[in-house]
Amino acid sequence: MFPLIPNRRNRPQNDLIFALSEEAQRRKAAGESIVNATLGSLMTDEGKLAVLETAAKAVHEVAREEWAAYAPISGSGPFLKAVVHDYFQNAPDLEAMSIAAATPGGTGALRHAVGNYLEPGQSLLTTGYFWGPYQTICDEQNMKLETFSMFAQDGTIDVSALDAKVTELLARQGRVLLFLNDPCQNPTGYSMTRAEWKAVVTCLLAHAEKGPITLLVDTAYYLYGSAADPRAFIEELRPLIGHVGLLFAWSASKSFTHYGLRVGALVAVVPDTKEREITAAALSYSCRGTWSNCNRGGLSAVTKLLSDSTLAKACDTERRSLKQVLTSRVNLFNSLARPKGLKYPRYEGGFFVTVFADDAMAHAQVMREKGVFVVPQKGALRVALCSVAEKDIPRLVDALG
Ligand code: PLP
């Protein structure tokens, strides 16, 4: 008798994005000219993984005992302090009321949020276009995922659709956990304006008395947005404090170009001291029950990068030049794609953009036959400009059109 439980018997064999990328790499190795716009890692125009020099050096300088020993269950104190400070360096009052737990990448933070802020079997709420692993994370914990239509007619975030869905979920399940990935949302590339944040906050506050609502801001790409101060949007979230739960998923993967280091954190802003202690204990328990503890060497390197001001400045400078590479690609994409009539959200920067397409599967298949790889999703094609050399963008836009 096949002992695997029935609800695990229809899992896909391979992650779609990784499967497409593997095919692209295989065909390229066989000599074909390929444009691979599937994977979310920043590549140089020469096709190499872009790595911040200072970050790579810090990782290599970590002592072997640091790699070999266990880390504390929730992560080392200096790491947790440094991550919280990274968000709230301009808001000491918020810093004082925040706690964190180390997680393997931002993915671990998302996992802990779903496991601790929803009752078993309930639904997570997110935007209609969303990063596929949100669904996987819910499936793995026997949770569900529901969405609200992301864009209104004018191309801005559809706050009335959000409002309707929050109303529905509160009536049906008595609580709401909302994931918003901003700035540079994966997959659309969209970044909300301060006014849009204000509207989202007003919407959530209007429902706050009806049941527990928690907003998680997934900031995987926050150092690649076009805002002069990437932390400025946090000011708009202040009115939530004490009324709506506020979480942040922090990740070193893109911020320090160390995707494989698996360093991240879940940060919770909890104004009440007792509730803060209870939250920290719940997150620590979740760590113990999933991955036990994180990679101590990785936490140690990232702590240094965040808290040594010389290293932090060096990373900022190096990241700025990577951002410049990305911005140059985005500008070229916009200058070719808009006149061609491609339909996609306002796009000012970040790793991805999503081009709306009626029959995305068929469209992606035709592109693939021409050696141009993008990721088909419902009604759209996700284009990872982060991995496309500037010289290949005209060919990419041609294939998309
Ligand atoms: N959130 C989004 C939207 C992402 O695209 C990613 C990575 O691609 C993550 C979170 C988490 O990445 P990691 O677990 O590598 O930190």
Side-chain angles (χ1 to χ4, degrees):
M1 238 186 277
F2 185 33
L4 194 67
I5 60 171
N7 100 342
R8 302 298 159 112
R9 290 184 189 177
N10 293 313
R11 297 296 201 219
Q13 287 272 348
N14 205 345
D15 180 280
L16 172 70
I17 300 176
F18 280 86
L20 283 170
S21 186
E22 273 167 25
E23 181 186 328
Q25 283 166 17
R26 196 169 2 93
R27 284 170 53 180
K28 190 170 178 189
E32 206 176 326
S33 164
I34 294 289
V35 177
N36 184 2
T38 61
L39 266 191
S41 307
L42 183 52
M43 310 295 280
T44 66
D45 279 339
E46 291 70 43
K48 293 226 160 64
L49 188 69
V51 182
L52 297 182
E53 272 312 312
T54 302
K57 191 157 174 279
V59 167
H60 280 279
E61 284 173 355
V62 171
R64 63 181 190 168
E65 292 77 10
E66 280 289 307
W67 291 114
Y70 282 126
I73 306 268
S74 289
S76 68
F79 170 76
L80 301 176
K81 243 179 124 158
V83 166
V84 169
H85 185 70
D86 185 46
Y87 282 130
F88 304 125
Q89 47 196 252
N90 304 322
D93 53 332
L94 301 192
E95 184 169 5
M97 60 175 81
S98 297
I99 53 106
T103 59
T107 306
L110 304 171
R111 188 256 161 232
H112 274 5
V114 167
N116 285 279
Y117 288 83
L118 288 175
E119 294 282 4
Q122 291 189 337
S123 294
L124 167 71
L125 177 60
T126 192
T127 44
Y129 295 101
F130 63 90
W131 185 47
Y134 286 2
Q135 181 73 60
T136 317
I137 288 166
C138 290
D139 289 347
E140 269 301 291
Q141 297 183 84
N142 299 317
M143 302 289 194
K144 300 189 192 77
L145 180 146
E146 295 182 37
T147 61
F148 66 95
S149 164
M150 186 169 174
F151 296 114
Q153 286 291 336
D154 65 357
T156 61
I157 291 290
D158 193 342
V159 181
S160 55
L162 169 65
D163 189 73
K165 206 64 204 185
V166 170
T167 306
E168 182 194 324
L169 283 171
L170 279 172
R172 179 152 40 91
Q173 63 182 38
R175 62 168 58 238
V176 169
L177 172 63
L178 169 66
F179 279 9
L180 291 179
N181 174 212
D182 193 88
C184 311
Q185 200 242 10
N186 180 1
T188 61
Y190 194 74
S191 297
M192 282 159 60
T193 60
R194 296 283 292 267
E196 286 174 292
W197 271 117
K198 229 187 255 297
V200 166
V201 165
T202 304
C203 164
L204 298 181
L205 281 175
H207 294 282
E209 298 307 315
K210 297 181 209 154
I213 300 177
T214 307
L215 167 67
L216 176 141
V217 189
D218 177 355
T219 61
Y221 302 92
Y222 92 120
L223 298 185
Y224 293 87
S226 55
D229 174 5
R231 296 158 184 91
F233 78 97
I234 292 174
E235 277 308 302
E236 302 300 346
L237 306 181
R238 266 183 188 280
L240 296 176
I241 290 164
H243 305 284
V244 166
L246 184 55
L247 303 173
F248 294 85
W250 189 93
S251 168
S253 299
K254 332 277 161 172
S255 300
F256 291 102
T257 65
H258 273 69
Y259 313 85
L261 198 62
R262 310 307 305 139
V263 173
L266 180 62
V267 172
V269 186
V270 191
D272 180 83
T273 313
K274 185 78 191 140
E275 289 178 9
R276 194 154 61 239
E277 280 169 17
I278 295 171
T279 305
L283 298 184
S284 171
Y285 201 83
S286 283
C287 291
R288 189 54 158 160
T290 46
W291 46 77
S292 191
N293 50 69
C294 287
N295 167 343
R296 186 182 181 111
L299 297 180
S300 167
V302 171
T303 305
K304 212 165 157 205
L305 293 171
L306 286 170
S307 46
D308 178 319
S309 64
T310 311
L311 297 186
K313 276 203 193 89
C315 284
D316 285 345
T317 307
E318 292 164 23
R319 194 183 302 108
R320 216 171 295 126
S321 82
L322 293 187
K323 240 177 101 171
Q324 195 46 51
V325 171
L326 205 47
T327 305
S328 180
R329 291 178 196 169
V330 172
N331 291 343
L332 179 59
F333 181 87
N334 283 330
S335 74
L336 298 171
R338 289 280 182 221
K340 209 171 164 52
L342 295 186
K343 300 267 181 297
Y344 56 98
R346 176 166 52 71
Y347 182 41
E348 291 151 348
F351 282 38
F352 305 101
V353 66
T354 279
V355 175
F356 303 126
D358 289 336
D359 192 353
M361 280 294 171
H363 197 141
Q365 178 57 30
V366 171
M367 292 178 71
R368 202 163 131 199
E369 281 156 18
K370 294 182 192 163
V372 180
F373 285 73
V374 294
V375 179
Q377 306 195 312
K378 197 160 159 262
L381 299 166
R382 190 191 80 164
V383 181
L385 269 197
C386 57
S387 59
V388 177
E390 191 164 333
K391 69 171 172 42
D392 289 331
I393 289 177
R395 179 173 164 201
L396 172 69
V397 173
D398 265 351
L400 283 164

